[in-house]
Amino acid sequence: IDVLARAALWEVGLNYVHGTGHGVGAFLNVHEGPCGINGYCNSVSGRTPLLEGMCLSNEPGYYQDGDFGIRIESLVMVVQAETRHKFGGKPFLTFDTITMVPIQKKLIYWDIMTEEEIAWLNEYHQMVLDHVEPLLADEEPDVSWLRTACAPVTKPPNGGYSAAPPTAMYQ
């Protein structure tokens, strides 16, 4: 899983030095084992299989020393995947996102977003809206803010970024 999270950065010769995820558990202890997602096979979290019911963070990111950093962190629950087959009689596992917070769209550098990534962002925001809006009980301005933050997006025709893009990453 760690390899998949890092693949886009590796394609351009970049990486991040932290784990992709860590266990979260009793009393909201941060970095609680035994599970985690990282490429460090000598660590307990790098060797512990993920099991249904485990809660962990999902937090790939990138930091350019002295310039900028970005990390979108959310919590996920390991659940059984609904698949057509169960190879070897064993179910596949997947993640259910349990963090329900809109992603700040004005920080997106649209020139590098694929249609698949934009579709994922729109699906995520629809899920957030579906889960959170009923809890707000029509309280304004909260409902309006949430609807705006979760509104579907399309790639602007001229691409762009709301601020100057991080220079070192896209040269």
Side-chain angles (χ1 to χ4, degrees), residues 22-23 31-37 43-51 54:
H22 56 77
H31 301 133
E32 179 173 308
C35 64
I37 302 172
S43 72
V44 172
S45 67
R47 295 184 312 235
T48 303
L50 298 178
L51 303 172
M54 288 181 165

Side-chain angles (χ1 to χ4, degrees), residues 2-3 11 15 26 28 89-91 101 113 119 125 141 143 146-147:
D2 190 64
V3 170
E11 286 178 15
N15 199 2
L28 295 177
K90 296 181 180 180
V101 177
M113 290 288 285
H125 280 150
V143 173
L146 182 67
R147 288 177 181 159

Side-chain angles (χ1 to χ4, degrees), residues 29-168:
N29 187 9
V30 177
H31 301 133
E32 179 173 308
C35 64
I37 302 172
N38 67 58
Y40 310 108
C41 293
N42 60 343
S43 72
V44 172
S45 67
R47 295 184 312 235
T48 303
L50 298 178
L51 303 172
E52 190 173 3
M54 288 181 165
C55 178
L56 59 153
S57 68
N58 175 18
E59 52 182 295
Y62 180 74
Y63 297 91
Q64 181 68 39
D65 288 345
D67 194 12
F68 70 94
I70 184 167
R71 186 186 313 196
I72 297 174
E73 182 170 349
S74 59
L75 295 181
V76 295
M77 182 73 68
V78 180
V79 297
Q80 194 171 121
E82 293 183 24
T83 58
R84 186 172 172 195
H85 301 283
K86 291 187 177 162
F87 183 75
K90 296 181 180 180
F92 280 78
L93 299 175
T94 189
F95 298 118
D96 270 354
T97 300
I98 57 178
T99 301
M100 296 291 150
V101 177
I103 293 171
Q104 179 54 262
K105 294 179 279 193
K106 71 180 181 182
L107 299 176
I108 294 173
Y109 185 40
W110 293 104
D111 289 345
I112 63 170
M113 290 288 285
T114 65
E115 293 302 321
E116 181 180 74
E117 291 165 339
I118 292 170
W120 177 90
L121 180 65
N122 286 332
E123 289 169 16
Y124 172 77
H125 280 150
Q126 186 61 54
M127 178 180 66
V128 171
L129 186 63
D130 291 346
H131 281 80
V132 177
E133 186 176 31
L135 302 174
L136 297 177
D138 294 325
E139 292 186 31
E140 291 296 337
D142 302 338
V143 173
S144 293
W145 177 87
L146 182 67
R147 288 177 181 159
T148 299
C150 292
V153 295
T154 56
K155 193 171 191 171
N158 297 328
Y161 190 79
S162 64
T167 53

Side-chain angles (χ1 to χ4, degrees), residues 7-26:
L9 288 173
W10 287 353
E11 286 178 15
V12 294
L14 300 172
N15 199 2
Y16 51 91
V17 296
H18 57 84
T20 298
H22 56 77
V24 177

